[in-house]
Amino acid sequence: SYTFWKTQPVPSFEEMAAGKDTIVDGPIKEIDIECVPKEPSPLLEGFEWVTMDLEDSKQIDEVYDLLYNHYVEDQEAMFRFRYSPSFLDWALKAPGWKKDWHVGIRASKSGKLVAFISGIPVRLRVRERVLESSEINFLCVHKKLRSKRLAPVLIKEITRRCYVDGIFQAVYTVGSLLPTPVSTCRYFHRSINWEKLYDVKFSPLPHGSTKQRQIIRYKLPDQTSTPGLREMEAKDIDTVVDLLQRYLKRMDLAQEFSTEEFKHWMFPTEKPKEQVVWTYVVEDPSTKKVTDFFSFYNLESTVIGHKKHESIKAAYLFYYATETAFTGKEDALKTRLNSLIKDALILAKKADFDVFNALTLLDNPYFLEEQRFGAGDGSLHYYLYNYRAAPLPGGIDARNQP
Ligand code: YNC
Ligand code: MG
């Protein structure tokens, strides 16, 4: 098995396990641009390569439709991610985005989009080294074309396009196990609308509990409690970028944010049809200094074949940072994060979300239990392409788009 992955510049399971303490970080293979093919390799008869034009909203809708019907589901096929067109517009047109990295396959006759893979440029720091890399996401093959080895063909094509542009490393996250994760996180879920989550069988009724007890368990106050908490404004940007950059230095794997990238991800000014990201700051009422921020994004899941509920509205914790992280006082950090995330839950409830999700990354373990998140059954593995790196005990950032 792993007949494809064995041919790729990724560490084997054996190498990674044996080399835990001895692996020296660095590229696996040198790429000679001269030797990179100028054209894609031929496809199965009846299919053709296309570069999607995501400045055309009709083509965003085509990607949306493909993913809406064929993208990631849970093990029991009860839920499927439903990235909105506004979300895709945001996620695929990050600063420096390249049209060439939005790769599709169409059926020649009908013109129908049947497969997709994408990359965006990202400056990724692995410990002390910064890699100009691509972040690969939204790999999807139509259900009728599964198990025909199309996925390796798509992966090879996006790799070729990255190489052509002089990008030789990539980062990607996948729910399933491939050779070889550099880090692994678990999903945690915090019910907001427990009754609905129970109705759609997302949340079980724990043995020995009652519906009423569950509803009370997840009840939240009507108002946030952190003094000075408010929506982020343009005037906060410089302070918050600086805060986030300092905060992320504590992690072994993190995106290096420029101000432009920060604005794109955390403070988009063009208001889309559907709001994608929410960002709040805390302005200390006495000093007027911004001391904390947090953000979450909106990603629904379709409830497959349910009569009453079409989808679950999920908020995903995105980036955050707090000055208390630099005090060296673990207790202070823990207390602060718990207050902030409790307020994030309250705000997510006001915005009509049913559930609030987070991974075991950043400083999240400090609040997951106390804020009544429960472990989900999914893991998310983090991978690097053409870069060998010892496992990352120091934590990772929040690029948590599955
Ligand atoms: C996957 N998700 O192991 P072996 S995540 C990578 N990522 O290869 P076939 C995957 N590889 O084991 P199917 C993968 N899923 O023989 C499968 N594979 O070595 C490997 N699902 O191919 C698999 N989206 O075409 C095997 O499988 C080979 O028809 C089998 O297609 C797979 O976006 C898939 O989960 C996932 O649409 C497309 O099942 C299909 O099943 C599907 O016969 C639902 O493929 C949606 C879904 C995946 C979400 C994601 C990140 C993708 C990362 C790809 C790797 C990028 C590497 C870096 C490239 C740039 C380099 C530079 C610079
Ligand atoms: Mg296939």
Side-chain angles (χ1 to χ4, degrees):
S1 57
Y2 297 117
T3 50
F4 165 66
W5 278 108
K6 273 186 189 141
T7 68
Q8 298 299 296
V10 294
S12 67
F13 293 117
E14 295 75 24
E15 175 184 357
M16 203 68 157
K20 251 195 173 90
D21 309 309
T22 52
I23 289 176
V24 179
D25 292 12
I28 294 172
K29 121 179 154 186
E30 281 303 319
I31 307 302
D32 180 356
I33 296 205
E34 300 297 306
C35 302
V36 178
K38 300 281 178 286
E39 297 297 326
S41 54
L43 274 178
L44 291 171
E45 179 77 27
F47 297 94
E48 55 198 48
W49 290 113
V50 288
T51 296
M52 300 301 284
D53 176 5
L54 300 187
E55 283 178 311
D56 173 1
S57 69
K58 286 206 196 75
Q59 298 198 31
I60 293 198
D61 289 346
E62 286 185 273
V63 176
Y64 167 80
D65 284 332
L66 176 72
L67 300 182
Y68 174 74
N69 291 298
H70 306 284
Y71 201 50
V72 177
E73 299 174 5
D74 66 303
Q75 293 268 311
E76 286 88 42
M78 290 169 63
F79 312 103
R80 186 185 308 122
F81 282 127
R82 180 181 181 172
Y83 288 88
S84 68
S86 305
F87 192 116
L88 294 171
D89 189 68
W90 176 66
L92 292 172
K93 281 151 67 180
W97 67 278
K98 296 169 204 282
K99 187 175 162 187
D100 263 355
W101 292 6
H102 298 155
V103 185
I105 296 177
R106 290 190 188 278
S108 310
K109 258 198 188 147
S110 63
K112 194 180 156 77
L113 183 69
V114 296
F116 185 72
I117 191 166
S118 67
I120 52 169
V122 59
R123 283 165 51 82
L124 189 76
R125 181 175 54 75
V126 185
R127 281 181 268 268
E128 69 284 356
R129 284 172 63 182
V130 178
L131 311 175
E132 299 289 341
S133 50
S134 58
E135 182 176 308
I136 306 301
N137 205 351
F138 304 114
L139 165 62
C140 186
V141 168
H142 191 292
K143 290 189 177 196
K144 291 208 167 132
L145 294 173
R146 295 281 170 86
S147 305
K148 296 180 190 298
R149 313 299 297 179
L150 257 181
V153 172
L154 284 156
I155 293 167
K156 283 188 260 181
E157 177 57 10
I158 192 81
T159 302
R160 189 189 68 78
R161 292 179 185 214
C162 290
Y163 285 178
V164 164
D165 286 329
I167 298 300
F168 308 124
Q169 271 75 38
V171 58
Y172 50 102
T173 59
V174 186
S176 48
L177 185 64
L178 304 167
T180 299
V182 70
S183 189
T184 296
C185 292
R186 273 191 89 178
Y187 274 108
F188 275 70
H189 312 282
R190 204 287 185 191
S191 304
I192 295 176
N193 184 351
W194 185 83
E195 256 187 311
K196 175 172 167 186
L197 297 176
Y198 174 74
D199 273 356
V200 301
K201 296 190 163 63
F202 181 84
S203 298
L205 181 61
H207 190 72
S209 189
T210 64
K211 285 189 186 183
Q212 204 46 42
R213 291 237 298 270
Q214 289 302 106
I215 291 165
I216 290 166
R217 175 174 165 78
Y218 294 112
K219 208 171 149 44
L220 287 161
D222 291 327
Q223 300 303 329
T224 60
S225 66
T226 308
L229 181 67
R230 58 166 172 80
E231 278 187 50
M232 183 162 153
E233 295 171 26
K235 64 177 184 191
D236 304 318
I237 288 170
D238 289 342
T239 312
V240 181
V241 179
D242 173 71
L243 173 62
L244 178 61
Q245 285 167 343
R246 284 184 289 127
Y247 176 77
L248 290 179
K249 284 207 178 102
R250 301 163 61 253
M251 305 294 149
D252 275 343
L253 176 75
Q255 178 168 356
E256 293 264 296
F257 280 100
S258 68
T259 302
E260 190 194 2
E261 287 169 327
F262 174 85
K263 270 161 76 175
H264 175 86
W265 291 112
M266 256 75 66
F267 194 67
T269 40
E270 267 179 55
K271 294 291 167 227
K273 216 171 21 193
E274 255 178 295
Q275 185 169 355
V276 177
V277 63
W278 280 252
T279 305
Y280 293 86
V281 301
V282 182
E283 180 185 317
D284 187 299
S286 51
T287 64
K288 304 284 176 215
K289 286 229 167 72
V290 171
T291 54
D292 318 74
F293 96 99
F294 59 75
S295 58
F296 51 84
Y297 61 78
N298 169 11
L299 168 52
E300 293 187 23
S301 278
T302 300
V303 185
I304 300 168
H306 198 274
K307 288 195 189 73
K308 184 166 156 202
H309 298 291
E310 201 182 335
S311 69
I312 299 174
K313 293 192 63 169
Y316 286 73
L317 183 60
F318 199 31
Y319 286 90
Y320 61 82
T322 167
E323 290 288 351
T324 53
F326 314 116
T327 58
K329 292 181 190 133
E330 221 182 316
D331 282 358
L333 174 58
K334 184 171 184 210
T335 304
R336 187 61 168 180
L337 286 177
N338 274 282
S339 317
L340 292 171
I341 300 307
K342 184 165 188 187
D343 283 348
L345 293 168
I346 293 166
L347 293 162
K349 182 180 177 175
K350 279 187 198 281
D352 201 34
F353 287 101
D354 301 316
V355 61
F356 196 101
N357 297 331
L359 285 153
T360 49
L361 39 68
L362 297 172
D363 284 309
N364 296 4
Y366 282 123
F367 60 76
L368 290 172
E369 216 176 306
E370 199 171 319
Q371 294 311 315
R372 309 194 166 176
F373 286 75
D377 29 45
S379 290
L380 191 63
H381 301 289
Y382 283 70
Y383 300 94
L384 299 173
Y385 187 90
N386 194 21
Y387 197 80
R388 190 182 282 111
L392 303 162
I396 61 175
D397 83 3
R399 300 314 308 229
N400 54 358
Q401 295 160 1

